[in-house]
Amino acid sequence: MSDAKSEILARIRTALADNPTPPEPTRDYRHTSSASLKDRRELLADRLIDYKAQVHEATEDTIATTIADLLGDRARYVVPTGLKSEWLPEDTATRTRFVDSGNTEKSGALSNKELDAMDAVVTSSTVSCAETGTVFLNSNPDEGRRAISLIPDHHICVVPEETIVEIVPEALARVDRAHPVTMFSGPSATSDIELQRVEGVHGPRRLDVILLGAKS
């Protein structure tokens, strides 16, 4: 062990010799909000648009048509096993749906190369935070494993309106931290030291969010 490291560790031991107890952190921030559903929806949409996502409105009656329009006439797209089939358009000769099992040990899980060849992915979501414009995926059956929402270049994400909350503590309370969590507030983007924005580096470069309301 180097002399410098030994000295650092010795100082740490000396500082901790009297077993100091750190003070309990103050948590006097808001844990719940009283914002209306209308206000939460509008705030979430505003934040997502500001982060360069495309936001769409749909109901249970119109969502399949909305997704069909976003996919276009020619698309190979992947969905997780638990996604509602009634949300999805019918396959055609030029638009094909692939289902990912979410378990790499069983047949039906697409390889990364196969996912990279997909034009899009369609998933649901666990919760969305309006204040930050952040959508949370929690690896649930209708969201799938992380890879399917990160590798395809186009992500169509359904946000049921009842899952929209206003503030971060409310969102975190709905997340199961025993399972992988993916959070995003727009298309994947990064910038270099010269602030040149590059999209699609570590996730989809196109994000369409569908705010799903009740039947019309």
Side-chain angles (χ1 to χ4, degrees):
M1 185 182 299
S2 67
D3 292 340
K5 185 174 182 180
S6 298
E7 183 179 351
I8 291 171
L9 292 175
R11 290 184 180 183
I12 292 174
R13 293 188 191 99
T14 299
L16 298 177
D18 57 351
N19 297 315
T21 301
E24 186 68 22
T26 302
R27 295 185 173 89
D28 55 359
Y29 50 81
R30 288 191 302 155
H31 289 78
T32 60
S33 73
S34 58
S36 67
L37 174 58
K38 178 177 181 294
D39 289 343
R40 298 196 305 269
R41 282 178 63 116
E42 290 179 352
L43 181 58
L44 177 64
D46 180 72
R47 293 288 193 270
L48 287 168
I49 291 170
D50 191 47
Y51 298 143
K52 301 186 182 303
Q54 301 297 314
V55 179
H56 314 269
E57 302 275 348
T59 67
E60 293 283 353
D61 296 323
T62 63
I63 185 171
T65 301
T66 301
I67 290 177
D69 291 341
L70 294 174
L71 289 170
D73 294 331
R74 295 179 174 275
R76 290 161 46 89
Y77 70 102
V78 59
V79 300
T81 54
L83 195 69
K84 290 184 178 180
S85 59
E86 55 267 32
W87 286 1
L88 301 171
E90 296 292 333
D91 282 354
T92 68
T94 55
R95 185 175 61 221
T96 308
R97 179 195 318 167
F98 294 81
V99 179
D100 183 84
S101 71
N103 189 333
T104 55
E105 297 178 357
K106 296 180 180 179
S107 61
L110 302 181
S111 67
N112 288 350
K113 183 176 181 180
E114 290 172 320
L115 289 173
D116 191 44
M118 294 292 146
D119 298 301
V121 56
V122 182
T123 74
S124 186
S125 56
T126 295
V127 63
S128 295
C129 178
E131 186 176 54
T132 62
T134 305
V135 180
F136 292 67
L137 307 184
N138 205 184
S139 305
N140 291 314
D142 57 356
E143 299 157 9
R145 56 194 174 105
R146 284 172 55 86
I148 71 168
S149 63
L150 295 176
I151 295 178
D153 207 36
H154 179 195
H155 185 184
I156 300 171
C157 185
V158 180
V159 173
E161 64 178 10
E162 67 272 14
T163 67
I164 303 172
V165 298
E166 184 191 6
I167 57 179
V168 172
E170 291 176 309
L172 292 177
R174 297 197 184 192
V175 171
D176 182 355
R177 301 179 197 182
H179 296 95
V181 180
T182 303
M183 295 176 281
F184 52 85
S185 298
S188 168
T190 189
S191 60
D192 59 19
I193 196 170
E194 296 179 350
L195 301 183
Q196 297 296 315
R197 179 184 173 95
V198 179
E199 297 180 347
V201 174
H202 41 59
R205 76 182 69 228
R206 176 181 172 188
L207 173 64
D208 284 292
V209 176
I210 301 174
L211 303 183
L212 181 64
K215 288 188 177 183
S216 56

